[in-house]
Amino acid sequence: MNLSNEAGNAARIRGGKQWSRARLGAGVVLIALCGALSSGALADDTTQQQIDQLQAQIKQLQSSVDALKQQQAQPPGQAAPLGANKAAQAYATPSPYTAAPANSGQFGIESWDGLNSIELTGRLHLDVGDYLTYDKQRGLTSPSSLDSGFNARRARLGVTGKFGGVWTYTLIGDFGNSDDGTNALTSGAATSELENGYITYTGFNQPGANIPAVLTIGYVDVPLTLDEANSSNDIPFMERSSSQVVATEFGMGDFRSAAGVTSFRTNYWAAAYVTGPQSGAPHNQTEAALAATAAPTITSEQGEPLAFGARATYNPVQTADTSLHVGLDGIHMAKTGTTSTTVGGNTPTPTESFTLSDRPELRIDPTALLTTGAITGVTSGNVESAEAAAAVSNFFVQGEYFHYSIDRAGGTVAAPRPDLGFHGEYLEATYAIGGKRQYIPNTGAYSGVIPDNPFSITQGGGWGALEFAVRVDDTDLNDKEPFQGGVQGGDEQTLALGIN
């Protein structure tokens, strides 16, 4: 069950000078006309025809006053309501020259000049489920079972807005009990409720400058990989694919400190990011001598994690009902931020440990069936991936391929540490009745299903939309035999079916 709630129906508070002048001017005209009408009525030579003409003019002026009132009720620069299909307003494509998307559909307050605003945002995803069967492989002792239950998967509340016309900000806390990556009990997982806390500068992308780039810094949901660029409100299933989650463990994903630059237009999207630790991760660096010898054994935190990533996409076909999307992604993890050990000397060898894992595309039980365990001697890691998607009216398909590589050092003949290579891929398809998905240029990804007639039990509302979804995923974390220094992390194949 996926219950999602987004704050809606924009409200604005404006300055009142223009409306006061309009109201005063209309009042003076009405008083003058009424005076002329009274004088005409008292005059002996006034005819009934003149009275009728004046009354008609008064009605016409009253209509003009009503039109002025309606115009003043609209925020500056905002067009009239888009009609019955108000759900589409949430995905209206923003102008590349505006500091915040128009018609965002969020409740908020905006200054009279439109340069400053604050808006509420949030979502609530509740997950309840039961593991009907669990058959463990012969010889395995754990886990003996998988626990069913209830999970507040995502419980987010925050504010977003703009200031000064060229800055935007977002501050969102996630009070759910799990993130999009590793087990909350695993070292390195997010332990803070801060999911997003960042500012964006759009001054380069204003009229006169016209440089198609915006800068972002803070704690960000880094939008590298197509699946991650899709909002969790819009993905066809409660969880993203395991192959994509493993890719973001190389220093990307949710709760991540990052700085980046993004550029987009109708048919392309490109971004580059440098990232650090997740929110709540420790920032201290410790050293401890473990043996009082001339060349002690040193255990050291090798600083904070550090990674670089880039994504570039292009839509060779983009119309109202059809789109074709292709793209490439790359991630380089320079430091994992985990503990390393060296014997002899006072400078720790820059080798670290690293773990890849994911739960079986569910977050009810914390057990990770797919895991490499701690891979030792890691010097760096890389992810190369390709993405593609297509939308034709009510039909939508999306897929990605990932190659993960880990570079290692410090091996011996007795304990070799060869470089490792893994791979993963997924393919998902959906078909919607009564709605369709649309491409969003400013995210380089696709929206959820936008109903032709949003569901409403009052005021003649429609029945909404119904979407059928299927996904296949294969994540292979096996490479080389253990006696060769290889890793057997498991090969997980998943078939998922869903109705939204």
Side-chain angles (χ1 to χ4, degrees):
M1 178 175 64
N2 183 345
L3 303 180
S4 174
N5 179 28
E6 289 286 356
N9 299 327
R12 298 288 186 265
I13 295 178
R14 309 284 182 188
K17 293 183 179 180
Q18 294 178 351
W19 164 237
S20 298
R21 290 195 296 267
R23 182 173 55 186
L24 178 60
V28 170
V29 172
L30 287 176
I31 292 172
L33 288 174
C34 290
L37 180 60
S38 299
S39 299
L42 295 175
D44 295 335
D45 57 349
T46 301
T47 64
Q48 185 63 39
Q49 183 178 1
Q50 291 175 318
I51 295 176
D52 293 340
Q53 290 176 351
L54 288 171
Q55 288 177 339
Q57 292 176 0
I58 291 174
K59 290 181 180 180
Q60 184 177 1
L61 286 170
Q62 184 62 50
S63 299
S64 299
V65 171
D66 293 338
L68 281 173
K69 289 181 178 180
Q70 185 176 3
Q71 182 179 356
Q72 288 296 131
Q74 297 293 333
Q78 179 172 319
L82 298 181
N85 190 6
K86 290 182 172 51
Q89 297 183 33
Y91 298 102
T93 302
S95 165
Y97 303 115
T98 57
N103 297 320
S104 64
Q106 295 174 181
F107 178 87
I109 300 173
E110 187 176 73
S111 61
W112 69 271
D113 56 7
L115 299 180
N116 305 280
S117 70
I118 181 171
E119 297 179 341
L120 295 177
T121 184
R123 68 190 59 177
L124 179 62
H125 296 175
L126 304 177
D127 194 4
V128 58
D130 184 17
Y131 295 89
L132 299 180
T133 61
Y134 168 65
D135 300 324
K136 60 183 178 180
Q137 185 177 347
R138 180 180 301 176
L140 293 180
T141 59
S142 64
S144 59
S145 63
L146 296 176
D147 294 328
S148 305
F150 181 84
N151 181 23
R153 177 61 183 90
R154 301 175 183 95
R156 298 176 184 175
L157 182 64
V159 294
T160 185
K162 56 187 175 181
F163 60 94
V166 295
W167 296 90
T168 67
Y169 64 91
T170 297
L171 180 63
I172 300 175
D174 191 342
F175 307 98
N177 62 358
S178 61
D179 60 29
D180 283 331
T182 56
N183 184 343
L185 300 179
T186 301
S187 175
T191 58
S192 169
E193 286 79 19
L194 179 63
E195 194 236 354
N196 278 282
Y198 62 89
I199 57 175
T200 298
Y201 179 70
T202 65
F204 297 126
N205 208 8
Q206 300 293 321
N210 196 22
I211 300 175
V214 295
L215 305 179
T216 300
I217 187 170
Y219 284 96
V220 186
D221 179 3
V222 183
L224 298 189
T225 78
L226 176 58
D227 212 7
E228 191 69 30
N230 285 318
S231 167
S232 59
N233 270 341
D234 298 335
I235 55 180
F237 299 92
M238 181 74 77
E239 304 299 334
R240 296 178 173 92
S241 65
S242 288
S243 57
Q244 185 274 338
V245 171
V246 169
T248 60
E249 290 174 352
F250 285 77
M252 301 294 157
D254 278 356
F255 300 87
R256 185 69 63 177
S257 58
V261 56
T262 303
S263 177
F264 69 90
R265 283 294 185 265
T266 303
N267 290 82
Y268 83 87
W269 190 95
Y273 280 87
V274 56
T275 70
Q278 291 178 302
S279 62
H283 290 251
N284 60 314
Q285 181 171 335
T286 61
E287 290 189 1
L290 302 182
T293 63
T297 299
I298 302 294
T299 298
S300 173
E301 289 277 348
Q302 291 296 305
E304 298 175 352
L306 176 66
F308 306 89
R311 175 174 174 246
T313 73
Y314 181 69
N315 285 24
V317 178
Q318 184 60 52
T319 67
D321 293 324
T322 304
S323 71
L324 176 62
H325 171 95
V326 293
L328 296 173
D329 303 71
I331 301 171
H332 174 68
M333 180 184 63
K335 299 175 72 67
T336 69
T338 56
T339 302
S340 67
T341 303
T342 186
V343 177
N346 293 320
T347 303
T349 303
T351 59
E352 309 174 19
S353 64
F354 187 52
T355 301
L356 295 174
S357 66
D358 189 39
R359 286 161 281 185
E361 299 186 359
L362 292 171
R363 296 293 184 267
I364 301 173
D365 184 282
T367 303
L369 301 180
L370 184 72
T371 180
T372 61
I375 303 173
T376 58
V378 176
T379 58
S380 63
N382 299 280
V383 179
E384 302 88 23
S385 67
E387 62 184 62
V392 181
S393 188
N394 304 66
F395 177 76
F396 175 75
V397 61
Q398 172 178 308
E400 294 183 85
Y401 172 82
F402 306 94
H403 180 262
Y404 327 105
S405 59
I406 296 178
D407 300 325
R408 306 168 76 192
T412 64
V413 174
R417 289 177 175 175
D419 295 342
L420 301 173
F422 312 111
H423 70 88
E425 54 275 333
Y426 75 90
L427 180 66
E428 61 190 23
T430 71
Y431 182 79
I433 300 174
K436 61 184 178 182
R437 293 176 176 264
Q438 294 182 358
Y439 179 73
I440 310 175
N442 62 314
T443 64
Y446 286 81
S447 72
V449 173
I450 302 176
D452 298 330
N453 297 289
F455 176 80
S456 176
I457 59 176
T458 61
Q459 300 178 350
W463 287 101
L466 184 67
E467 182 184 51
F468 301 90
V470 58
R471 180 172 67 201
V472 291
D473 177 82
D474 182 12
T475 309
D476 188 351
L477 298 184
N478 296 328
D479 186 30
K480 301 180 178 63
E481 296 298 327
F483 70 89
Q484 299 173 321
V487 170
Q488 296 293 306
D491 185 356
E492 178 185 283
Q493 295 95 29
T494 304
L495 170 65
L497 304 174
I499 299 177
N500 300 316

